[in-house]
Amino acid sequence: MKFMKLGSKPDAFQADGRCIRYVTSELATDVVVNVGEVKFYLHKQSLAETSAESREEISDEINMVDFPGGPKAFEICAKFCYGMTVTLNAYNVVAARCAAEYLEMTEDVDRGNLVFKIEDPSNITWSYTYNRKLSVTDKIIEDRLKFGERNDSVPKDWWVEDICELEIDLYKRLMITVKSKGRMDGSVIGEALRTYAVRWLPDSVDALISDAHSRRNKFLVETIVCLLPSDKGVGCSCSFLLKLLKVAILVGVDDSTREDLVNRISLKFHEASVKDLLIPARSPQTTFYDVELVYSIVNRFMMQEKSSQGLDVERNEKKGTDDFVLGHGSLLGVGKLVDGYLMEIAHDPNLSLSSFIDLSLSIPDAARPIHDGLYKAIDEYMKEHPGLTKAERKKICGLMDVRKLTIDASMHAAQNERLPLRVVVQVLFFEQVRAAAGVHAPNNNPRDASHSTTNTDEEWEKAAVEDDRRSLKKQMSRMKGMERTGALRHLGVHKALLHWLLGIPSHPVHLQDTGGTPYLR
């Protein structure tokens, strides 16, 4: 909050009960000023030096009827007359300005009078307090001030806290004016709206939807949304927008407001967290969370991603290029986010298999260079839904590619009794192939590959993406070549097993269980 200190003398005002204020001085007071229920015992000489009336014109007792700002505003003016230190801030500056006008404390009476001090702030040194979390730039400014460095710079959003005291109607008018001037960044506007929402929106669901406040909360949310920066890609964090969407759904905002929020969120979806996406479902939905809404946001993000970059994911995958993956960290972030969300909603007994599969398929393969997160979500879903049929378990497991599992995930999957037997055998098979070829399993954190002292992990990541783009025939051809050279026979892998793994009709494969590890007879 910005503030300005005027005067330098100590505050000599004293109180005698609630209705009497007087100045401690060697000189006896000679005038009583009645402002509302408060009596001020003052000195004519001090008042005459800054007010329009001369000492002779001031009577011994003055009644101030309907004084603007009341006793508090008059006390500020009185202290200014005595040269005592007063602090003007967002809470009292308007009242002080009106009171000074009423008392005619202008330049015609005395140079540097109170009206001038308030209206020409460019010539006045302002200070500020900053109660919110400081940004990096603001922290530098604060540190300089602490160490005595002269710096007139203040944070651009110093006024954000001040205007939070305004009622929503006046706040809306003020923010429209601020936006129309075009002098404020979208980020500052967004911070102002976030701070106001935190100040006025209740924390509990019951308070949000209570009969006494639901209408007001609805109007407040709709107003904040309509005041969001026109550039939808800047201004507010995705986390704040998602929290605002949760509240908007609870208070029942109109469709256009909700649609605006969803569009804004989809532009910054890669910045979200799984916690932000846990939006409670509303009737008639039976799931814990609104999965349909998240599915819609993911689809919009993908459409905007393709449109903004001028790239077609499917076309690039067919060409075998990995430019889209390497140049789009946001896509990888969304892949990780979706898998994390799938892990959370997998616990819901009312979540249908089709909803789980649709959301999983809403992002391209390029968004998942590693399938550990997807595997964990699939395993959790099967654990929470033990009634899945064999066909359903096969269908959900078909979402993941065992070649993209890390060593830890592969070891877990190889011993997972919930997985179909074919998946377990595929895991073991590809681990054997990797071991024979000297290729490491994918790194669980592909971004760390660039910091490795070898190129092994980086080579695997590229190889995994490349393998995923190859057709089944090419994979079959490679495996057949390995069989002819004896590599697969060295591993003890039979041609019939190879056909069975790749889904090619052949004679039945007979497996025996030796301590939980299937092998070919």
Side-chain angles (χ1 to χ4, degrees), residues 410-464:
S410 294
M411 291 178 63
H412 186 279
Q415 305 174 63
N416 193 340
E417 296 179 354
R418 286 182 289 274
L419 294 178
L421 183 58
R422 174 176 290 184
V423 176
V424 175
V425 176
Q426 285 177 333
V427 171
L428 294 171
F429 171 73
F430 284 113
E431 281 304 312
Q432 289 179 331
V433 171
R434 273 199 289 254
V439 179
H440 288 236
N443 190 342
N444 195 31
N445 186 4
R447 294 183 181 179
D448 291 340
S450 60
H451 301 290
S452 175
T453 56
T454 67
N455 294 329
T456 304
D457 292 339
E458 182 179 356
E459 289 174 356
W460 161 252
E461 182 180 344
K462 292 182 178 179

Side-chain angles (χ1 to χ4, degrees), residues 3 8 25 69 146 156 173 185 204 290 335 345 382 407 437 460:
F3 64 91
S8 58
S25 173
K146 283 182 180 178
K156 292 181 179 180
R173 291 169 57 189
D185 301 336
S204 68
D290 197 335
I345 63 175
M382 291 192 297
I407 294 177
W460 161 252

